[in-house]
Every structure is written in C-alpha cells, then in structure tokens.
Amino acid sequence: MLKIDNLTKKYGDKVAVDNLTLHIKPGEVYGFIGSNGAGKTTTLKACAGIHTFDEGTITVAGHSIKDKPIEAKKIFAYIPDNPDLYEYMTGIKFLNFVADIFEVSADVRTKKFHELATTFGIEADLAIPISDYSHGMKQKLALISAFCHDPKLIMMDEPFVGLDPSAAFKLKELMRKHCDNGGAIFFSTHVLEVAEKLCDKIAIIKGGKLIKSGTMEEVKGDESLEEVFLELADGETNAESSN
C-alpha cells in the first residue's frame, strides 16, 4: 500500500531522513516511533507530498507521490499533528468541502458524517464555526474528514494528542476496522502503550535512521516496547558518544 525506498531528505547540511526504507501492506496498522526530531514528521510529510525529498522513491498503491501526485492523493488521507482547518467554516461545511474534493456522493457522505460525528460525540457541534472548537474537537473533525472518503491508506502524525480517553478508544477501533477491511494505516506516536497493543508492525527511527522494524514480536521479543525503545535509543546514543 505504501512503499518508501531509500528515502533521504536534507535541510541544507542536516540529514533529516537518512536512506529510510519501509513497506506497509494492506491490512497493517504500522506504528512509527522515535524521539522528537527523529524524522517522523518529515517522513510522513514526504509521503503525503508536502515535502520534497532528495533521494529515493515513495509510492502509494503503485502511484509515485513525486511523478503521479494526484493519483496517489486520491487514495490516501493525511492528518498532521496540528490540523490547520479553515476556521471560518462550520464543521459541516468543512466536511462537505473535503467530501467534494474526493467526490463522495451526497447519500454516502450524509451517512458517513452522521456515523463518525456520533462516534466522536460532536454531531451537535457541526453547525458552529471551527473557530469555536477546542483542540480536541478540531482533532475529531480532522479524523472524520480523513475517514469519510474511505481512503485505502491513512497517514497520521500523533493522532491521539488532544483526544479524551473515550475518543482515543473509538479511534483505535476505527483504525483496526479500517485495516481489517483491507486498508492500511501508518502513524507516528509517543504513546508506546497504544502502539504496543494496536500495531501489527512497528518501526523505530533515531536521527533520521531506521533502527529496527518488523512485527511487534520481532521488535520487542519478551520485553515491553518501552523497554526496547529506551534500550535502542540509549545504545545508539552511547555508540555515537564513543565514536
């Protein structure tokens, strides 16, 4: 569903992502973890076609994000860590705007909006301006806009930030259901407990380099994901210090 091959992204002399290769298959919830500044957001933005990149290829269901961006973007949704919504719109106008872009029919969008807004508990708030929304409500609206057009791939940067426990639980259910129906999800998170319970596969990145990836069992073995993450991060730091 998503193929990242030998991705390298530089900002001047700084290498933000260094020769990264990851493949996400249909049906997989794929977690992406790392410390602040590790390269998670840069990678996701490159996959979404927001950032250019210096080397490598990225394809979504066979469509190159660089050479065929429109074809690729038709079949994925991307939610940044701080969704920048059109605050002068009401919630429902924003959802209709997104549905228009992805050519969702009137009957399908009405059903989807109702189901998803009810799930996240903001159906009564869709008539008010987004400028009056809290951060958590904006996050919920962004999530509804992502799921409403049934994309094959959903990419999310820290999707659980700002969500109350009930909404976080509902999101995990939606993510699992989406992948069980043949879709794929690639998301970054600092919440390692969530990643450990939810993800089929995990990738750990540090300093732009992929440290370890694979199934949850392959990555963590008999340890907790938190223990493995800290061990790998410390190991890389110690190795860098000794060079």
Side-chain angles (χ1 to χ4, degrees), residues 71-88:
E71 289 86 344
K73 290 178 182 182
K74 283 181 179 179
I75 54 180
F76 74 74
Y78 167 69
I79 303 177
D81 57 348
N82 188 22
D84 190 10
L85 310 179
Y86 296 115
E87 298 205 348
Y88 65 89

Side-chain angles (χ1 to χ4, degrees), residues 76-116:
F76 74 74
Y78 167 69
I79 303 177
D81 57 348
N82 188 22
D84 190 10
L85 310 179
Y86 296 115
E87 298 205 348
Y88 65 89
M89 289 183 172
T90 62
I92 191 63
K93 284 186 177 179
F94 176 76
L95 292 178
N96 275 308
F97 170 69
V98 173
D100 285 343
I101 291 174
F102 288 96
E103 301 178 338
V104 182
S105 65
D107 56 336
V108 170
R109 72 174 67 178
T110 299
K111 180 181 179 183
K112 282 282 187 180
F113 293 166
H114 171 71
E115 290 177 350
L116 292 166

Side-chain angles (χ1 to χ4, degrees), residues 74 93 139 184 219 223:
K74 283 181 179 179
K93 284 186 177 179
Q139 185 74 0
V219 170
E223 298 182 278

Side-chain angles (χ1 to χ4, degrees), residues 118-186:
T118 300
T119 295
F120 287 113
I122 64 167
E123 189 168 22
D125 302 306
L126 294 182
I128 66 175
I130 296 173
S131 57
D132 293 339
Y133 281 28
S134 66
H135 176 74
M137 291 167 66
K138 290 177 182 178
Q139 185 74 0
K140 292 173 184 178
L141 188 68
L143 289 166
I144 294 169
S145 73
F147 281 93
C148 76
H149 58 93
D150 286 329
K152 291 183 178 180
L153 170 68
I154 301 177
M155 296 182 285
M156 298 182 283
D157 197 356
E158 298 288 348
F160 296 98
V161 173
L163 293 182
D164 55 73
S166 176
F169 178 78
K170 297 290 178 57
L171 174 56
K172 286 182 280 187
E173 286 188 324
L174 283 173
M175 291 167 70
R176 186 71 268 167
K177 181 179 178 182
H178 178 76
C179 292
D180 288 346
N181 289 333
I185 288 178
F186 183 42

Side-chain angles (χ1 to χ4, degrees), residues 221-240:
D222 295 328
E223 298 182 278
S224 71
L225 183 59
E226 182 178 35
E227 290 171 330
V228 171
F229 175 72
L230 292 174
E231 286 171 6
L232 289 172
D234 288 343
E236 286 287 310
T237 302
N238 293 336
E240 290 167 2

